[in-house]
PDB file of all heavy atoms in Angstrom:
ATOM      1  N   PRO C 500      93.885  96.637 112.818  1.00  0.00           N
ATOM      2  CA  PRO C 500      93.276  97.810 113.472  1.00  0.00           C
ATOM      3  C   PRO C 500      93.460  99.056 112.607  1.00  0.00           C
ATOM      4  O   PRO C 500      94.539  99.281 112.043  1.00  0.00           O
ATOM      5  CB  PRO C 500      94.065  97.927 114.788  1.00  0.00           C
ATOM      6  CG  PRO C 500      94.669  96.575 115.006  1.00  0.00           C
ATOM      7  CD  PRO C 500      94.934  96.010 113.645  1.00  0.00           C
ATOM      8  N   THR C 501      92.412  99.846 112.483  1.00  0.00           N
ATOM      9  CA  THR C 501      92.478 101.023 111.619  1.00  0.00           C
ATOM     10  C   THR C 501      93.587 101.974 112.055  1.00  0.00           C
ATOM     11  O   THR C 501      94.291 102.559 111.214  1.00  0.00           O
ATOM     12  CB  THR C 501      91.126 101.761 111.619  1.00  0.00           C
ATOM     13  OG1 THR C 501      90.088 100.839 111.275  1.00  0.00           O
ATOM     14  CG2 THR C 501      91.123 102.895 110.613  1.00  0.00           C
ATOM     15  N   TYR C 502      93.765 102.145 113.365  1.00  0.00           N
ATOM     16  CA  TYR C 502      94.782 103.095 113.826  1.00  0.00           C
ATOM     17  C   TYR C 502      96.197 102.608 113.529  1.00  0.00           C
ATOM     18  O   TYR C 502      97.145 103.400 113.574  1.00  0.00           O
ATOM     19  CB  TYR C 502      94.617 103.412 115.315  1.00  0.00           C
ATOM     20  CG  TYR C 502      94.675 102.236 116.257  1.00  0.00           C
ATOM     21  CD1 TYR C 502      95.888 101.688 116.653  1.00  0.00           C
ATOM     22  CD2 TYR C 502      93.512 101.683 116.772  1.00  0.00           C
ATOM     23  CE1 TYR C 502      95.935 100.611 117.516  1.00  0.00           C
ATOM     24  CE2 TYR C 502      93.551 100.596 117.649  1.00  0.00           C
ATOM     25  CZ  TYR C 502      94.774 100.069 118.012  1.00  0.00           C
ATOM     26  OH  TYR C 502      94.818  99.005 118.858  1.00  0.00           O
ATOM     27  N   ALA C 503      96.370 101.294 113.208  1.00  0.00           N
ATOM     28  CA  ALA C 503      97.698 100.788 112.849  1.00  0.00           C
ATOM     29  C   ALA C 503      98.161 101.364 111.512  1.00  0.00           C
ATOM     30  O   ALA C 503      99.368 101.452 111.249  1.00  0.00           O
ATOM     31  CB  ALA C 503      97.679  99.262 112.783  1.00  0.00           C
ATOM     32  N   LEU C 504      97.215 101.791 110.664  1.00  0.00           N
ATOM     33  CA  LEU C 504      97.576 102.345 109.359  1.00  0.00           C
ATOM     34  C   LEU C 504      98.287 103.682 109.488  1.00  0.00           C
ATOM     35  O   LEU C 504      99.022 104.089 108.575  1.00  0.00           O
ATOM     36  CB  LEU C 504      96.326 102.505 108.496  1.00  0.00           C
ATOM     37  CG  LEU C 504      95.580 101.211 108.139  1.00  0.00           C
ATOM     38  CD1 LEU C 504      94.332 101.525 107.332  1.00  0.00           C
ATOM     39  CD2 LEU C 504      96.480 100.256 107.368  1.00  0.00           C
ATOM     40  N   ILE C 505      98.057 104.386 110.609  1.00  0.00           N
ATOM     41  CA  ILE C 505      98.729 105.676 110.785  1.00  0.00           C
ATOM     42  C   ILE C 505      99.864 105.602 111.800  1.00  0.00           C
ATOM     43  O   ILE C 505     100.647 106.548 111.917  1.00  0.00           O
ATOM     44  CB  ILE C 505      97.722 106.771 111.216  1.00  0.00           C
ATOM     45  CG1 ILE C 505      97.084 106.411 112.554  1.00  0.00           C
ATOM     46  CG2 ILE C 505      96.674 106.995 110.153  1.00  0.00           C
ATOM     47  CD1 ILE C 505      96.188 107.501 113.112  1.00  0.00           C
ATOM     48  N   SER C 506      99.957 104.494 112.518  1.00  0.00           N
ATOM     49  CA  SER C 506     101.014 104.365 113.522  1.00  0.00           C
ATOM     50  C   SER C 506     102.154 103.465 113.061  1.00  0.00           C
ATOM     51  O   SER C 506     103.256 103.538 113.591  1.00  0.00           O
ATOM     52  CB  SER C 506     100.440 103.825 114.835  1.00  0.00           C
ATOM     53  OG  SER C 506      99.867 102.530 114.651  1.00  0.00           O
ATOM     54  N   ASP C 507     101.906 102.595 112.068  1.00  0.00           N
ATOM     55  CA  ASP C 507     102.928 101.690 111.554  1.00  0.00           C
ATOM     56  C   ASP C 507     103.113 101.899 110.060  1.00  0.00           C
ATOM     57  O   ASP C 507     102.320 102.583 109.408  1.00  0.00           O
ATOM     58  CB  ASP C 507     102.541 100.224 111.825  1.00  0.00           C
ATOM     59  CG  ASP C 507     102.501  99.910 113.312  1.00  0.00           C
ATOM     60  OD1 ASP C 507     103.440 100.307 114.020  1.00  0.00           O
ATOM     61  OD2 ASP C 507     101.521  99.297 113.771  1.00  0.00           O
ATOM     62  N   SER C 508     104.181 101.301 109.540  1.00  0.00           N
ATOM     63  CA  SER C 508     104.509 101.442 108.127  1.00  0.00           C
ATOM     64  C   SER C 508     103.955 100.268 107.328  1.00  0.00           C
ATOM     65  O   SER C 508     104.049  99.113 107.758  1.00  0.00           O
ATOM     66  CB  SER C 508     106.032 101.511 107.950  1.00  0.00           C
ATOM     67  OG  SER C 508     106.379 101.558 106.581  1.00  0.00           O
ATOM     68  N   PHE C 509     103.357 100.560 106.178  1.00  0.00           N
ATOM     69  CA  PHE C 509     102.860  99.525 105.284  1.00  0.00           C
ATOM     70  C   PHE C 509     103.056  99.995 103.848  1.00  0.00           C
ATOM     71  O   PHE C 509     103.311 101.168 103.593  1.00  0.00           O
ATOM     72  CB  PHE C 509     101.380  99.221 105.562  1.00  0.00           C
ATOM     73  CG  PHE C 509     100.445 100.327 105.181  1.00  0.00           C
ATOM     74  CD1 PHE C 509      99.776 100.321 103.970  1.00  0.00           C
ATOM     75  CD2 PHE C 509     100.227 101.399 106.055  1.00  0.00           C
ATOM     76  CE1 PHE C 509      98.916 101.346 103.621  1.00  0.00           C
ATOM     77  CE2 PHE C 509      99.367 102.420 105.713  1.00  0.00           C
ATOM     78  CZ  PHE C 509      98.716 102.399 104.495  1.00  0.00           C
ATOM     79  N   LYS C 510     102.938  99.073 102.914  1.00  0.00           N
ATOM     80  CA  LYS C 510     103.148  99.392 101.500  1.00  0.00           C
ATOM     81  C   LYS C 510     101.820  99.313 100.756  1.00  0.00           C
ATOM     82  O   LYS C 510     101.103  98.322 100.854  1.00  0.00           O
ATOM     83  CB  LYS C 510     104.147  98.421 100.871  1.00  0.00           C
ATOM     84  CG  LYS C 510     104.477  98.727  99.401  1.00  0.00           C
ATOM     85  CD  LYS C 510     105.426  97.700  98.822  1.00  0.00           C
ATOM     86  CE  LYS C 510     106.813  97.837  99.407  1.00  0.00           C
ATOM     87  NZ  LYS C 510     107.779  96.920  98.756  1.00  0.00           N
ATOM     88  N   ASN C 511     101.510 100.389 100.035  1.00  0.00           N
ATOM     89  CA  ASN C 511     100.303 100.439  99.213  1.00  0.00           C
ATOM     90  C   ASN C 511     100.741 100.418  97.746  1.00  0.00           C
ATOM     91  O   ASN C 511     101.497 101.291  97.304  1.00  0.00           O
ATOM     92  CB  ASN C 511      99.496 101.703  99.513  1.00  0.00           C
ATOM     93  CG  ASN C 511      98.118 101.667  98.876  1.00  0.00           C
ATOM     94  OD1 ASN C 511      97.917 101.053  97.838  1.00  0.00           O
ATOM     95  ND2 ASN C 511      97.153 102.321  99.490  1.00  0.00           N
ATOM     96  N   TRP C 512     100.240  99.422  96.992  1.00  0.00           N
ATOM     97  CA  TRP C 512     100.655  99.236  95.598  1.00  0.00           C
ATOM     98  C   TRP C 512      99.773 100.010  94.620  1.00  0.00           C
ATOM     99  O   TRP C 512      99.838  99.769  93.410  1.00  0.00           O
ATOM    100  CB  TRP C 512     100.617  97.755  95.253  1.00  0.00           C
ATOM    101  CG  TRP C 512     101.587  96.920  96.033  1.00  0.00           C
ATOM    102  CD1 TRP C 512     101.391  96.389  97.274  1.00  0.00           C
ATOM    103  CD2 TRP C 512     102.906  96.521  95.640  1.00  0.00           C
ATOM    104  NE1 TRP C 512     102.502  95.683  97.684  1.00  0.00           N
ATOM    105  CE2 TRP C 512     103.443  95.740  96.696  1.00  0.00           C
ATOM    106  CE3 TRP C 512     103.679  96.738  94.499  1.00  0.00           C
ATOM    107  CZ2 TRP C 512     104.707  95.185  96.636  1.00  0.00           C
ATOM    108  CZ3 TRP C 512     104.933  96.180  94.450  1.00  0.00           C
ATOM    109  CH2 TRP C 512     105.451  95.420  95.507  1.00  0.00           C
ATOM    110  N   ARG C 513      98.946 100.925  95.137  1.00  0.00           N
ATOM    111  CA  ARG C 513      98.020 101.639  94.256  1.00  0.00           C
ATOM    112  C   ARG C 513      98.738 102.418  93.163  1.00  0.00           C
ATOM    113  O   ARG C 513      98.292 102.495  92.018  1.00  0.00           O
ATOM    114  CB  ARG C 513      97.154 102.593  95.068  1.00  0.00           C
ATOM    115  CG  ARG C 513      96.030 103.239  94.244  1.00  0.00           C
ATOM    116  CD  ARG C 513      95.508 104.500  94.902  1.00  0.00           C
ATOM    117  NE  ARG C 513      95.224 104.277  96.311  1.00  0.00           N
ATOM    118  CZ  ARG C 513      95.163 105.267  97.190  1.00  0.00           C
ATOM    119  NH1 ARG C 513      95.397 106.515  96.806  1.00  0.00           N
ATOM    120  NH2 ARG C 513      94.893 105.023  98.458  1.00  0.00           N
ATOM    121  N   GLY C 514      99.880 103.047  93.533  1.00  0.00           N
ATOM    122  CA  GLY C 514     100.633 103.828  92.550  1.00  0.00           C
ATOM    123  C   GLY C 514     101.059 102.985  91.367  1.00  0.00           C
ATOM    124  O   GLY C 514     100.974 103.421  90.207  1.00  0.00           O
ATOM    125  N   MET C 515     101.495 101.763  91.643  1.00  0.00           N
ATOM    126  CA  MET C 515     101.889 100.865  90.564  1.00  0.00           C
ATOM    127  C   MET C 515     100.686 100.464  89.729  1.00  0.00           C
ATOM    128  O   MET C 515     100.734 100.455  88.494  1.00  0.00           O
ATOM    129  CB  MET C 515     102.567  99.625  91.156  1.00  0.00           C
ATOM    130  CG  MET C 515     103.019  98.595  90.129  1.00  0.00           C
ATOM    131  SD  MET C 515     101.743  97.393  89.679  1.00  0.00           S
ATOM    132  CE  MET C 515     101.542  96.526  91.221  1.00  0.00           C
ATOM    133  N   MET C 516      99.571 100.153  90.412  1.00  0.00           N
ATOM    134  CA  MET C 516      98.380  99.703  89.703  1.00  0.00           C
ATOM    135  C   MET C 516      97.784 100.795  88.825  1.00  0.00           C
ATOM    136  O   MET C 516      97.202 100.509  87.778  1.00  0.00           O
ATOM    137  CB  MET C 516      97.339  99.211  90.708  1.00  0.00           C
ATOM    138  CG  MET C 516      97.783  98.015  91.550  1.00  0.00           C
ATOM    139  SD  MET C 516      98.223  96.565  90.570  1.00  0.00           S
ATOM    140  CE  MET C 516      96.608  96.079  89.962  1.00  0.00           C
ATOM    141  N   SER C 517      97.919 102.052  89.253  1.00  0.00           N
ATOM    142  CA  SER C 517      97.348 103.155  88.472  1.00  0.00           C
ATOM    143  C   SER C 517      98.319 103.689  87.425  1.00  0.00           C
ATOM    144  O   SER C 517      97.955 104.543  86.625  1.00  0.00           O
ATOM    145  CB  SER C 517      96.931 104.299  89.413  1.00  0.00           C
ATOM    146  OG  SER C 517      98.048 104.786  90.128  1.00  0.00           O
ATOM    147  N   SER C 518      99.563 103.202  87.434  1.00  0.00           N
ATOM    148  CA  SER C 518     100.551 103.647  86.450  1.00  0.00           C
ATOM    149  C   SER C 518     100.412 102.823  85.172  1.00  0.00           C
ATOM    150  O   SER C 518      99.544 101.967  85.046  1.00  0.00           O
ATOM    151  CB  SER C 518     101.966 103.495  87.021  1.00  0.00           C
ATOM    152  OG  SER C 518     102.293 102.133  87.189  1.00  0.00           O
ATOM    153  N   GLY C 519     101.332 103.070  84.226  1.00  0.00           N
ATOM    154  CA  GLY C 519     101.249 102.376  82.945  1.00  0.00           C
ATOM    155  C   GLY C 519     101.897 101.018  82.928  1.00  0.00           C
ATOM    156  O   GLY C 519     101.874 100.331  81.897  1.00  0.00           O
ATOM    157  N   GLY C 520     102.528 100.606  84.021  1.00  0.00           N
ATOM    158  CA  GLY C 520     103.197  99.310  84.008  1.00  0.00           C
ATOM    159  C   GLY C 520     103.618  98.871  85.393  1.00  0.00           C
ATOM    160  O   GLY C 520     103.573  99.648  86.356  1.00  0.00           O
ATOM    161  N   ARG C 521     104.047  97.612  85.459  1.00  0.00           N
ATOM    162  CA  ARG C 521     104.530  97.051  86.722  1.00  0.00           C
ATOM    163  C   ARG C 521     106.027  96.791  86.607  1.00  0.00           C
ATOM    164  O   ARG C 521     106.487  96.184  85.636  1.00  0.00           O
ATOM    165  CB  ARG C 521     103.780  95.753  87.031  1.00  0.00           C
ATOM    166  CG  ARG C 521     104.137  95.162  88.387  1.00  0.00           C
ATOM    167  CD  ARG C 521     103.175  94.060  88.745  1.00  0.00           C
ATOM    168  NE  ARG C 521     103.483  93.486  90.050  1.00  0.00           N
ATOM    169  CZ  ARG C 521     102.768  92.548  90.653  1.00  0.00           C
ATOM    170  NH1 ARG C 521     101.691  92.076  90.056  1.00  0.00           N
ATOM    171  NH2 ARG C 521     103.114  92.085  91.832  1.00  0.00           N
ATOM    172  N   ARG C 522     106.760  97.229  87.603  1.00  0.00           N
ATOM    173  CA  ARG C 522     108.215  97.249  87.499  1.00  0.00           C
ATOM    174  C   ARG C 522     108.824  95.849  87.512  1.00  0.00           C
ATOM    175  O   ARG C 522     108.459  94.996  88.312  1.00  0.00           O
ATOM    176  CB  ARG C 522     108.804  98.071  88.640  1.00  0.00           C
ATOM    177  CG  ARG C 522     110.297  98.297  88.514  1.00  0.00           C
ATOM    178  CD  ARG C 522     110.839  99.058  89.681  1.00  0.00           C
ATOM    179  NE  ARG C 522     110.827  98.252  90.900  1.00  0.00           N
ATOM    180  CZ  ARG C 522     111.355  98.635  92.057  1.00  0.00           C
ATOM    181  NH1 ARG C 522     111.913  99.826  92.156  1.00  0.00           N
ATOM    182  NH2 ARG C 522     111.293  97.849  93.109  1.00  0.00           N
ATOM    183  N   ILE C 523     109.787  95.670  86.598  1.00  0.00           N
ATOM    184  CA  ILE C 523     110.643  94.487  86.597  1.00  0.00           C
ATOM    185  C   ILE C 523     112.027  94.947  87.033  1.00  0.00           C
ATOM    186  O   ILE C 523     112.627  95.826  86.395  1.00  0.00           O
ATOM    187  CB  ILE C 523     110.709  93.837  85.201  1.00  0.00           C
ATOM    188  CG1 ILE C 523     109.326  93.344  84.780  1.00  0.00           C
ATOM    189  CG2 ILE C 523     111.728  92.712  85.175  1.00  0.00           C
ATOM    190  CD1 ILE C 523     109.272  92.834  83.353  1.00  0.00           C
ATOM    191  N   LYS C 524     112.541  94.394  88.089  1.00  0.00           N
ATOM    192  CA  LYS C 524     113.863  94.765  88.609  1.00  0.00           C
ATOM    193  C   LYS C 524     114.540  93.485  89.111  1.00  0.00           C
ATOM    194  O   LYS C 524     114.404  93.099  90.255  1.00  0.00           O
ATOM    195  CB  LYS C 524     113.732  95.793  89.736  1.00  0.00           C
ATOM    196  CG  LYS C 524     115.041  96.371  90.245  1.00  0.00           C
ATOM    197  CD  LYS C 524     114.762  97.467  91.290  1.00  0.00           C
ATOM    198  CE  LYS C 524     116.041  98.110  91.793  1.00  0.00           C
ATOM    199  NZ  LYS C 524     116.824  97.156  92.641  1.00  0.00           N
ATOM    200  N   ARG C 525     115.260  92.842  88.189  1.00  0.00           N
ATOM    201  CA  ARG C 525     115.895  91.574  88.517  1.00  0.00           C
ATOM    202  C   ARG C 525     117.227  91.488  87.763  1.00  0.00           C
ATOM    203  O   ARG C 525     117.377  92.051  86.681  1.00  0.00           O
ATOM    204  CB  ARG C 525     114.989  90.412  88.142  1.00  0.00           C
ATOM    205  CG  ARG C 525     115.544  89.052  88.514  1.00  0.00           C
ATOM    206  CD  ARG C 525     114.582  87.939  88.152  1.00  0.00           C
ATOM    207  NE  ARG C 525     113.406  87.927  89.026  1.00  0.00           N
ATOM    208  CZ  ARG C 525     112.451  87.016  88.961  1.00  0.00           C
ATOM    209  NH1 ARG C 525     112.524  86.051  88.050  1.00  0.00           N
ATOM    210  NH2 ARG C 525     111.419  87.058  89.790  1.00  0.00           N
ATOM    211  N   SER C 526     118.167  90.779  88.329  1.00  0.00           N
ATOM    212  CA  SER C 526     119.511  90.722  87.738  1.00  0.00           C
ATOM    213  C   SER C 526     119.980  89.291  87.535  1.00  0.00           C
ATOM    214  O   SER C 526     119.469  88.354  88.158  1.00  0.00           O
ATOM    215  CB  SER C 526     120.507  91.475  88.621  1.00  0.00           C
ATOM    216  OG  SER C 526     120.580  90.876  89.905  1.00  0.00           O
ATOM    217  N   ILE C 527     120.969  89.159  86.619  1.00  0.00           N
ATOM    218  CA  ILE C 527     121.681  87.900  86.405  1.00  0.00           C
ATOM    219  C   ILE C 527     123.120  88.118  86.848  1.00  0.00           C
ATOM    220  O   ILE C 527     123.763  89.080  86.414  1.00  0.00           O
ATOM    221  CB  ILE C 527     121.662  87.481  84.920  1.00  0.00           C
ATOM    222  CG1 ILE C 527     120.232  87.340  84.419  1.00  0.00           C
ATOM    223  CG2 ILE C 527     122.434  86.185  84.711  1.00  0.00           C
ATOM    224  CD1 ILE C 527     120.154  87.042  82.934  1.00  0.00           C
ATOM    225  N   SER C 528     123.650  87.235  87.676  1.00  0.00           N
ATOM    226  CA  SER C 528     125.040  87.347  88.129  1.00  0.00           C
ATOM    227  C   SER C 528     125.949  86.566  87.182  1.00  0.00           C
ATOM    228  O   SER C 528     125.788  85.350  87.007  1.00  0.00           O
ATOM    229  CB  SER C 528     125.180  86.820  89.561  1.00  0.00           C
ATOM    230  OG  SER C 528     124.519  87.673  90.459  1.00  0.00           O
ATOM    231  N   ILE C 529     126.878  87.282  86.565  1.00  0.00           N
ATOM    232  CA  ILE C 529     127.797  86.693  85.589  1.00  0.00           C
ATOM    233  C   ILE C 529     129.097  86.295  86.279  1.00  0.00           C
ATOM    234  O   ILE C 529     129.648  87.066  87.077  1.00  0.00           O
ATOM    235  CB  ILE C 529     128.087  87.675  84.440  1.00  0.00           C
ATOM    236  CG1 ILE C 529     126.774  88.173  83.812  1.00  0.00           C
ATOM    237  CG2 ILE C 529     128.989  87.043  83.393  1.00  0.00           C
ATOM    238  CD1 ILE C 529     125.944  87.094  83.181  1.00  0.00           C
ATOM    239  N   LYS C 530     129.584  85.123  85.933  1.00  0.00           N
ATOM    240  CA  LYS C 530     130.863  84.657  86.471  1.00  0.00           C
ATOM    241  C   LYS C 530     131.991  85.530  85.928  1.00  0.00           C
ATOM    242  O   LYS C 530     132.113  85.717  84.712  1.00  0.00           O
ATOM    243  CB  LYS C 530     131.066  83.201  86.076  1.00  0.00           C
ATOM    244  CG  LYS C 530     132.149  82.486  86.848  1.00  0.00           C
ATOM    245  CD  LYS C 530     132.158  81.017  86.482  1.00  0.00           C
ATOM    246  CE  LYS C 530     133.221  80.270  87.268  1.00  0.00           C
ATOM    247  NZ  LYS C 530     133.231  78.821  86.914  1.00  0.00           N
ATOM    248  N   MET C 531     132.829  86.080  86.824  1.00  0.00           N
ATOM    249  CA  MET C 531     133.825  87.076  86.417  1.00  0.00           C
ATOM    250  C   MET C 531     134.855  86.525  85.437  1.00  0.00           C
ATOM    251  O   MET C 531     135.234  87.211  84.469  1.00  0.00           O
ATOM    252  CB  MET C 531     134.539  87.626  87.658  1.00  0.00           C
ATOM    253  CG  MET C 531     133.694  88.563  88.496  1.00  0.00           C
ATOM    254  SD  MET C 531     134.665  89.357  89.772  1.00  0.00           S
ATOM    255  CE  MET C 531     133.394  90.201  90.683  1.00  0.00           C
ATOM    256  N   ASP C 532     135.337  85.302  85.666  1.00  0.00           N
ATOM    257  CA  ASP C 532     136.407  84.802  84.805  1.00  0.00           C
ATOM    258  C   ASP C 532     135.909  84.349  83.434  1.00  0.00           C
ATOM    259  O   ASP C 532     136.689  83.855  82.617  1.00  0.00           O
ATOM    260  CB  ASP C 532     137.185  83.668  85.489  1.00  0.00           C
ATOM    261  CG  ASP C 532     136.287  82.511  85.885  1.00  0.00           C
ATOM    262  OD1 ASP C 532     135.122  82.498  85.451  1.00  0.00           O
ATOM    263  OD2 ASP C 532     136.740  81.638  86.649  1.00  0.00           O
ATOM    264  N   SER C 533     134.604  84.530  83.173  1.00  0.00           N
ATOM    265  CA  SER C 533     134.100  84.252  81.826  1.00  0.00           C
ATOM    266  C   SER C 533     134.068  85.509  80.963  1.00  0.00           C
ATOM    267  O   SER C 533     133.730  85.436  79.775  1.00  0.00           O
ATOM    268  CB  SER C 533     132.698  83.634  81.902  1.00  0.00           C
ATOM    269  OG  SER C 533     131.745  84.574  82.370  1.00  0.00           O
TER     270      SER C 533
END
């Protein structure tokens, strides 16, 4: 429903698409005793 766009929260990826790149945000968990 069109009115759901102003009453609920949603994510628009336009900012990412119009920017110079797409974010990479990922980690590797290292074993502490190594």
Side-chain angles (χ1 to χ4, degrees):
T501 306
Y502 58 80
L504 297 178
I505 61 174
S506 61
D507 295 314
S508 176
F509 69 97
K510 183 182 289 185
N511 191 330
W512 296 85
R513 188 200 311 158
M515 180 273 294
M516 298 301 290
S517 60
S518 67
R521 185 169 181 176
R522 187 182 70 174
I523 297 173
K524 187 176 182 290
R525 183 178 289 183
S526 61
I527 302 175
S528 292
I529 306 297
K530 195 174 181 180
M531 287 189 187
D532 58 11
S533 68

